[in-house]
Amino acid sequence: MSIMQYIPYVLLFMVATMLIYGWGLWRSIRRKQDLSNLLSSKAISKIKRELKKNEKMSRKDLELAIKNITASQPFSRERICVTDTKQFLDSLLPYMIRQHIIIEQKENHKIYYSLRK
């Protein structure tokens, strides 16, 4: 057997190694954004569940609902959690209103949120 017969196998191994390394590098770069997106989606589903139970809720009620939400990816030790509920809701509620998930209502000089029907 000559060495020339093994060159395609070595090249295939090199290409496979490059692809696996590149995928791992890409995943590590996007990890924080993925965790943030996962946390937001968990909070949105929690808010929707609470609004289904209670029909309408104030901002303080929503803050209590998402107080201890955490998110992590499978097979990863990294976790992200909500530390400042007011700031988190400041970014989440306008997004949910723009996406027509919830509506904002004023009653007796108070603002309430409810699910869009």
Side-chain angles (χ1 to χ4, degrees):
M1 291 229 153
S2 71
I3 263 189
M4 294 300 282
Q5 290 177 335
Y6 294 108
I7 288 180
Y9 298 111
V10 170
L11 290 176
L12 280 173
F13 181 76
M14 288 172 45
V15 168
T17 304
M18 286 182 352
L19 289 174
I20 292 170
Y21 179 78
W23 180 74
L25 188 62
W26 180 76
R27 292 293 298 158
S28 68
I29 289 171
R30 291 190 37 99
R31 182 175 292 137
K32 287 184 181 179
Q33 183 63 39
D34 290 344
L35 282 173
S36 176
N37 291 344
L38 185 60
L39 185 67
S40 294
S41 68
K42 281 181 110 176
I44 288 171
S45 64
K46 177 76 173 183
I47 289 172
K48 286 168 65 176
R49 249 182 286 135
E50 292 295 321
L51 286 173
K52 277 183 185 176
K53 286 183 201 173
N54 302 321
E55 289 208 22
K56 66 179 181 179
M57 296 175 75
S58 69
R59 187 179 180 89
K60 287 193 185 258
D61 297 332
L62 292 175
E63 285 177 17
L64 290 173
I66 64 164
K67 186 176 180 182
N68 294 320
I69 292 181
T70 62
S72 65
Q73 290 181 327
F75 310 111
S76 175
R77 293 182 187 169
E78 268 190 63
R79 296 182 92 82
I80 189 172
C81 66
V82 177
T83 54
D84 186 2
T85 55
K86 291 181 185 201
Q87 184 180 5
F88 189 67
L89 272 181
D90 283 343
S91 66
L92 198 60
L93 289 177
Y95 170 78
M96 291 178 74
I97 292 170
R98 277 194 316 271
Q99 294 298 317
H100 304 292
I101 299 170
I102 61 172
I103 56 174
E104 188 177 74
Q105 302 168 335
K106 285 188 179 183
E107 289 180 17
N108 301 331
H109 304 290
K110 277 190 138 186
I111 297 175
Y112 292 100
Y113 298 93
S114 61
L115 284 176
R116 184 175 286 266
K117 297 180 179 174

